[in-house]
Amino acid sequence: MSTGRDPGLQAERTRLAWRRTLLTATVVTALAVRLASAGDPVGALVAGVTVLLWGALLVLCWPRGTGTGSARTGGRTLPLVALGTVGFALLGVLLVLRGLG
């Protein structure tokens, strides 16, 4: 059994984590758009804001998820993505609760 690190797999795991983050945001965005299709004006506003936030998250996550982005971004990307992910998680919970109510 080897005790050394394998840095070759670390890059792949990192890319997959960025892809999962973006996939989660895409699902929440789809739920918000579905809510907007019910004709609710508040739902339309939420869906519009969600699509804009999803676009911003796409710009931040895509280069890292595909491995084309720089590993060093001045330390700004991770806090922004963390904030966006928490926002999408809260929005997802609200959408599910609203759908169940």
Side-chain angles (χ1 to χ4, degrees), residues 46-66:
V46 168
V49 170
T50 304
V51 169
L52 289 174
L53 291 175
W54 177 81
L57 200 59
L58 178 67
V59 168
L60 291 172
C61 291
W62 188 261
R64 288 184 171 215
T66 58

Side-chain angles (χ1 to χ4, degrees), residues 16-17 19 23 41 44 48 50 58-60 63 65 71 78 87 91 93:
L16 291 173
R19 288 179 185 176
L23 178 63
T50 304
L58 178 67
V59 168
L60 291 172
L78 192 57
L91 182 60
V93 168

Side-chain angles (χ1 to χ4, degrees), residues 2-26:
S2 174
T3 59
R5 289 182 62 209
D6 185 3
L9 295 177
Q10 181 179 1
E12 182 179 358
R13 287 192 305 268
T14 301
R15 282 193 305 272
L16 291 173
W18 284 103
R19 288 179 185 176
R20 281 192 307 269
T21 300
L22 190 55
L23 178 63
T24 302
T26 303

Side-chain angles (χ1 to χ4, degrees), residues 25-92:
T26 303
V27 169
V28 172
T29 302
L31 288 172
V33 169
R34 182 175 175 212
L35 175 68
S37 68
D40 184 16
V42 174
L45 178 65
V46 168
V49 170
T50 304
V51 169
L52 289 174
L53 291 175
W54 177 81
L57 200 59
L58 178 67
V59 168
L60 291 172
C61 291
W62 188 261
R64 288 184 171 215
T66 58
T68 59
S70 171
R72 298 192 180 267
T73 57
R76 294 180 304 267
T77 302
L78 192 57
L80 288 174
V81 171
L83 185 62
T85 302
V86 169
F88 272 107
L90 292 173
L91 182 60

